[in-house]
């Protein structure tokens, strides 16, 4: 399949192109600002599908909206019609409009008129046209300080720069770039569109968040490098927002230091803490060293020996029953601490012992739930 992307060097275009070039069954042709409209017939030769993403969404001269949105669409559709007549096959089109098309500002009017032009073209030529009135799209490669508050906040906060919030309660309707691309590609592959009551294609899921909450979340991502505490980032909006935030880190900030605690036994390093899913850390122990020798009432832990040989010993604090487990880094095995059982870990090898540790709660020095009890 051969496809054409107009606006291939824009935010959405870059992401779409990257997704498509990863597929062996797709050939991608690109129309960008460096191309002349005279090149469209050549670029359209043999094309099976068009993603019309090019347009002007910000300009000091309002006339540029008509040139970049309406006139370009007219020229493109004319070239598509010529190619369909030459090749005798239909060429579906996806068009990225904007939620601004419902408004009467110069930009919105130009997008709405381009929509109407595309609908007329589709009806008269019996070809599928999919129009997306996209809300705010966020994700990697979006230009900050341009038309995305998410991109601006992520860029500035990642660099310790100030952000401006005029109304923290102002609501934003957002869609994530990967969800946009997935919707586009599904249509290209023959899926049925999901449309709203006005007949426009929609992207799911969509998210609603206030400007103040958006700022708080991104500030939390930034602060997590110091506190080591991070919000849940594994699903839905928070997952997408965290991925977006990290994509704006300058290369000099791809890494960061965490505190290391050393004593005669070895080292202890905390990696990550969560508000409701525990914390991750690791420790080392020199040969012959024993660590632990305590029990918990509620706290539980999972230990994974990464390097070396360890002997885990347990004692039931009331009955005195004992148990022992040998574990080493060559055979991955999780060893769990059990409430009411005292436990310790001894390095029984000749080399340094390295153990990964997950605890089900963040350590609280005021309520450590850790009581010394020799095994």
């Amino acid at each position: 399949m051969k496809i054409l992307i107009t606006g291939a060097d824009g935010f959405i275009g870059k992401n779409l192109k990257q997704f498509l070039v990863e597929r062996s069954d797709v050939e991608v042709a690109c129309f960008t600002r460096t191309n002349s409209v005279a090149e469209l017939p050549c670029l359209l030769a043999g094309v099976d599908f068009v993603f019309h993403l090019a347009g002007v969404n910000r300009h000091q001269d309002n006339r540029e909206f008509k040139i970049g949105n309406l006139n370009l669409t007219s020229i493109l559709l004319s070239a598509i019609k010529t190619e369909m007549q030459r090749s005798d096959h239909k060429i579906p089109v996806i068009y990225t409009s904007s939620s601004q098309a419902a408004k009467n500002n110069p930009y919105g009017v130009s997008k709405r008129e381009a929509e109407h032009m595309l609908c007329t073209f589709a009806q008269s030529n019996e070809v599928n046209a999919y129009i997306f009135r996209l809300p705010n799209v966020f994700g990697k490669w979006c230009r900050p300080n341009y038309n995305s508050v998410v991109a601006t906040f992520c860029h500035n906060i990642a660099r310790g720069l100030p952000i401006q919030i005029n109304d923290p309660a102002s609501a934003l309707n957002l869609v994530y770039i990967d969800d946009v691309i997935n919707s586009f590609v599904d249509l290209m592959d023959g899926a049925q569109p999901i449309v709203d009551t006005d007949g426009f294609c929609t992207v799911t899921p969509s998210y609603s968040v206030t400007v103040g909450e958006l700022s708080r979340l991104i500030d939390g991502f930034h602060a997590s490098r110091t506190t080591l505490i991070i919000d849940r980032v594994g699903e839905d909006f928070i997952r997408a927002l965290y991925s977006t935030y990290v994509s704006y880190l300058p290369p000099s900030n791809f890494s960061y230091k965490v505190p290391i605690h050393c004593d005669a036994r070895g080292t202890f390093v905390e990696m990550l803490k969560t508000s409701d899913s525990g914390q991750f850390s690791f420790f080392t122990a020199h040969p012959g060293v024993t660590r632990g020798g305590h029990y918990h009432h509620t706290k539980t832990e999972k230990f994974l020996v990464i390097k070396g040989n360890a002997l885990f010993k347990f004692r039931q604090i009331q009955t005195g029953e004992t148990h022992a487990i040998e574990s080493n880094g060559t055979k991955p095995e999780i060893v769990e601490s059990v409430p009411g059982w005292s436990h310790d870990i001894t390095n029984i090898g000749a080399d340094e012992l390295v153990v990964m540790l997950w605890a089900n709660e963040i350590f609280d020095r005021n309520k450590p739930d850790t009581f010394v009890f020799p095994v």
Side-chain angles (χ1 to χ4, degrees), residues 202-365:
T202 62
V203 175
T204 56
S206 64
Y207 306 104
S208 181
V209 64
T210 66
V211 174
E213 177 66 5
L214 178 68
S215 170
R216 186 196 70 78
L217 288 168
I218 300 173
D219 276 330
F221 299 155
H222 180 70
S224 69
R225 289 189 163 198
T226 301
T227 65
L228 302 184
I229 301 175
I230 194 167
D231 288 323
R232 306 181 85 178
V233 296
E235 60 184 4
D236 299 331
F237 176 62
I238 305 300
R239 173 179 178 270
L241 184 63
Y242 182 73
S243 177
T244 301
Y245 168 74
V246 172
S247 76
Y248 285 89
L249 291 172
S252 58
N253 288 348
F254 281 6
S255 65
Y256 59 101
K257 305 293 184 182
V258 293
I260 180 171
H261 307 280
C262 301
D263 58 30
R265 300 170 299 171
T267 62
F268 176 71
V269 176
E270 293 177 304
M271 175 185 175
L272 182 68
K273 303 176 182 180
T274 69
S275 60
D276 59 1
S277 299
Q279 70 175 56
F280 297 85
S281 56
F282 79 87
F283 63 84
T284 68
H286 302 306
V289 166
T290 297
R291 304 193 68 140
H294 54 243
Y295 68 89
H296 313 296
H297 285 296
T298 302
K299 180 187 296 185
T300 62
E301 300 155 314
K302 294 180 185 288
F303 299 93
L304 175 63
V305 176
I306 304 297
K307 173 189 173 185
N309 296 281
L311 175 64
F312 292 82
K313 293 184 295 182
F314 299 85
R315 179 182 295 275
Q316 216 280 356
I317 62 174
Q318 290 194 350
T319 67
E321 179 183 354
T322 61
H323 185 64
I325 300 171
E326 288 191 25
S327 184
N328 62 72
T330 64
K331 296 181 180 180
E333 176 184 28
I334 301 295
V335 179
E336 287 203 89
S337 67
V338 178
W341 288 71
S342 182
H343 53 275
D344 63 27
I345 306 167
T346 302
N347 182 351
I348 58 174
D351 300 317
E352 182 183 53
L353 176 68
V354 181
V355 181
M356 186 73 185
L357 167 63
W358 172 82
N360 69 334
E361 60 184 41
I362 296 176
F363 180 73
D364 182 350
R365 294 187 181 279

Side-chain angles (χ1 to χ4, degrees), residues 56 58-65:
V56 175
R58 179 175 292 190
H59 206 281
Q60 292 181 342
D61 186 348
N62 288 338
R63 291 174 297 181
E64 291 297 321
F65 292 123

